[in-house]
């Protein structure tokens, strides 16, 4: 079953496993780089806890937390660190790693489009 990250009315679909791996890595990175009471850290902790229950088809609504340039910038820094962490693991299949690259590009583009509308 698919799950995804939703930002700016677009869902970036992936497998449940890929979304779980990403959210867990994002939360780990937030725990290292942001304060425990930071809104992004709290959001990612909640999302990680939900996904650890084995729920299927979960959509992570990023619009709920990424409401301004600063929050999107901090999230993308976490995403890059999480992607590097994931790439150094065996937590995804080859297809999963391809999905990660594709989704990284698309999420970054979507967030940059919000901050720099044409």
């Amino acid at each position: 079953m698919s799950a995804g990250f939703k930002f700016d009315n677009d869902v970036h679909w992936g497998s449940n496993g890929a979304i779980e791996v990403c959210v867990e890595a994002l939360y780990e990175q937030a725990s290292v780089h942001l304060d425990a009471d930071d809104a992004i850290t709290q959001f990612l902790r909640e999302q990680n806890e939900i996904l650890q229950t084995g729920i299927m088809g979960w959509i992570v609504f990023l619009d709920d937390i990424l409401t301004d340039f600063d929050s999107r910038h901090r999230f993308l820094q976490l995403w890059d660190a999480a992607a590097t962490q994931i790439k150094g693991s065996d937590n995804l299949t080859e297809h999963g790693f391809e999905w990660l690259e594709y989704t990284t590009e698309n999420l970054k583009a979507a967030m940059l489009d919000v901050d720099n509308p044409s």
Side-chain angles (χ1 to χ4, degrees):
M1 178 171 267
S2 295
F5 291 100
K6 185 171 190 266
F7 180 76
D8 195 34
N9 297 317
D10 288 322
V11 178
H12 302 270
W13 294 104
S15 69
N16 276 308
I19 301 303
E20 287 177 25
V21 165
C22 285
V23 169
E24 184 174 12
L26 283 163
Y27 174 56
E28 289 173 5
Q29 292 299 322
S31 297
V32 170
H33 298 289
L34 302 176
D35 293 331
D37 62 346
D38 185 280
I40 293 175
T41 304
Q42 292 176 357
F43 174 79
L44 291 170
R45 181 179 53 245
E46 291 167 4
Q47 297 300 303
N48 189 49
E49 289 172 358
I50 290 166
L51 287 164
Q52 295 305 313
T53 68
I55 193 167
M56 303 293 275
W58 188 253
I59 297 176
V60 179
F61 289 90
L62 296 174
D63 290 321
D64 294 349
I65 195 69
L66 305 181
T67 58
D68 59 22
F69 174 83
D70 181 59
S71 62
R72 288 186 291 276
H73 177 73
R74 291 185 304 131
F75 179 81
L76 288 175
Q77 289 179 318
L78 293 175
W79 184 280
D80 285 341
T84 299
Q85 175 183 330
I86 294 166
K87 289 174 190 173
S89 75
D90 62 355
N91 291 334
L92 293 177
T93 64
E94 183 178 329
H95 178 72
F97 287 116
E98 291 170 3
W99 170 85
L100 181 61
E101 289 292 326
Y102 176 81
T103 301
T104 297
E105 290 175 23
N106 285 317
L107 272 175
K108 284 183 179 182
M111 290 183 192
L112 290 172
D113 284 347
V114 167
D115 292 324
N116 299 305
S118 45

